Amino acid sequence: MGTGCWAIGGPAFEKDGTPIGWGDVKDEDSIRGLETALDMGITLFDTSNMYGTGHSETLIGQVIKGRRDKVVISTKFGWVFDPATRTKLGWDVSPEYIRKSCEGSLKRLGTDYIDVYFLHVPFCENERAPQVCDTLEELVKEGKIRTYGWSTDKVDSARVFAGREHCAVVQFGENIFEDNAEMIGLAAQNDMACFCRGPLAMGLLTGKFKADSTLKDNDIRGKNAPDYMKFFKDGKPNPEFLSKVEAIREILTEGGRTPAQGALGWLWARSDRTIPIPGFKTPKQIQDNARAMEFGPLTEKQMSEISRLLSQMA
């Protein structure tokens, strides 16, 4: 498993002020969390130049200094942003901007190569994707990146990248509540790994949220959340999904697991290609996530029971 580094970037916003970060987070907690991850056997860090408009990459660069060969770094490109105001301004996938973004990420990460480089713009036209791939293939030949993929939930988009010589990974939303079986099938057909973002349903599958829980306004899950945020509504957990968590809680926690560990076990049982990348804001969350590896995947019986319970609620 890996760890997602979106939250540790801190606050960031759309031009209209809509939050696209996870609220305030202390850098010392982020650094200790990354150190804890390494101590507990997590060596994959997934980030983006958009997370905190570069701040997440900078923190990772501090932690991996002197041990670059011990970690796998995946980061992303495509968004245009103003780091001074932490504001997203638009997007650009021209060869020139891809190269500029790559150099910026390399500098912040303090490295001379990126293991996995993802296109981060989900709605980039498929017609432009081949040119993007051409540029990424050039970056592979130059030693700047090792492999690449697209962070997208659209199978037809991922298919444009699949099959290219050095495209080995696809990143998409995958968890108990949103199973993209077609994407997993595409990955299997093209021998690609699956980086599963949102493995804990934006935190809902940790089991810590109650009906009266509230999120801060500068949190992407808060009352100003974007329209696509379905697990939280008006700054509170979505009752529909909250009830689903409660319905499967007993199964997720069998054998001494926490709900989060059970949810991660579901992903490992789902496919041998799925790599969960749960995010964190504190070292304690890293510890809880990492201990899921001690339990491993859910059993076939547990998977069937979860499927049965959720189908009854559909």
Side-chain angles (χ1 to χ4, degrees):
M1 67 182 294
T3 191
C5 300
W6 180 5
I8 67 173
F13 305 90
E14 299 279 7
K15 285 188 288 187
D16 63 2
T18 301
I20 50 175
W22 291 63
D24 299 316
V25 59
K26 297 179 180 179
D27 285 351
E28 54 264 36
D29 287 340
S30 301
I31 290 172
R32 283 194 299 116
L34 293 171
E35 295 278 3
T36 299
L38 290 172
D39 291 343
M40 298 187 73
I42 297 175
T43 56
L44 165 62
F45 295 155
D46 178 79
T47 186
S48 168
N49 64 355
M50 188 60 229
Y51 298 163
T53 56
H55 190 61
S56 175
E57 289 181 328
T58 298
L59 292 176
I60 293 171
Q62 293 177 27
V63 171
I64 67 173
K65 189 175 182 180
R67 48 186 170 185
R68 176 65 181 92
D69 60 331
K70 302 294 192 298
V71 298
V72 174
I73 302 297
S74 70
T75 191
K76 309 176 188 74
F77 67 92
W79 297 112
V80 180
F81 54 84
D82 178 6
T85 61
R86 293 198 172 205
T87 303
K88 183 197 292 183
L89 303 177
W91 61 282
D92 187 343
V93 295
S94 65
E96 297 77 16
Y97 193 71
I98 294 173
R99 287 182 169 279
K100 179 181 177 180
S101 297
C102 183
E103 293 300 329
S105 290
L106 290 171
K107 183 177 181 179
R108 285 185 291 270
L109 291 165
T111 182
D112 56 3
Y113 70 95
I114 293 165
D115 294 287
V116 188
Y117 205 32
F118 284 110
L119 171 58
H120 201 187
V121 184
F123 48 76
C124 171
E125 301 93 335
N126 289 354
E127 293 76 15
R128 301 182 66 176
Q131 183 186 53
V132 173
C133 287
D134 290 343
T135 303
L136 295 172
E137 287 289 343
E138 291 172 5
L139 290 173
V140 172
K141 291 183 175 65
E142 295 165 16
K144 300 280 179 75
I145 66 175
R146 290 188 167 181
T147 188
Y148 62 85
W150 196 337
S151 179
T152 178
D153 293 331
K154 299 178 180 179
V155 178
D156 62 332
S157 294
R159 190 173 285 114
V160 180
F161 270 42
R164 295 297 292 258
E165 183 178 2
H166 293 97
C167 176
V169 189
V170 60
Q171 182 169 148
F172 57 97
E174 178 72 17
N175 57 58
I176 291 174
F177 300 139
E178 38 184 15
D179 180 21
N180 196 334
E182 191 176 359
M183 190 74 85
I184 293 175
L186 176 70
Q189 293 167 12
N190 291 275
D191 195 22
M192 297 191 296
C194 302
F195 281 17
C196 301
R197 53 176 153 74
L200 301 179
M202 304 296 280
L204 202 64
L205 280 164
T206 62
K208 69 180 182 180
F209 289 100
K210 309 298 181 184
D212 59 352
S213 299
T214 57
L215 283 301
K216 292 183 177 180
D217 291 351
N218 66 351
D219 190 310
I220 192 170
R221 301 166 294 177
K223 68 179 183 181
N224 298 314
D227 293 338
Y228 62 79
M229 181 58 59
K230 62 182 179 181
F231 298 121
F232 293 83
K233 295 293 182 183
D234 300 318
K236 293 180 178 295
N238 185 328
E240 175 191 350
F241 288 102
L242 201 59
S243 63
K244 291 181 178 181
V245 173
E246 292 309 309
I248 62 175
R249 181 188 287 268
E250 185 175 346
I251 302 171
L252 293 179
T253 57
E254 285 178 355
R257 286 182 169 98
T258 65
Q261 290 163 358
L264 294 171
W266 183 92
L267 279 166
W268 287 318
R270 177 64 184 82
S271 168
D272 60 3
R273 295 183 178 274
T274 46
I275 303 171
I277 48 172
F280 75 99
K281 294 179 78 171
T282 68
K284 184 179 180 181
Q285 291 170 337
I286 285 285
Q287 292 169 353
D288 187 43
N289 294 339
R291 289 188 179 119
M293 294 188 287
E294 298 172 13
F295 295 97
L298 297 186
T299 65
E300 185 177 335
K301 180 180 178 181
Q302 289 170 319
M303 294 290 284
S304 296
E305 185 64 8
I306 289 173
S307 178
R308 183 186 69 82
L309 289 170
L310 292 180
S311 65
Q312 289 178 348
M313 304 178 72

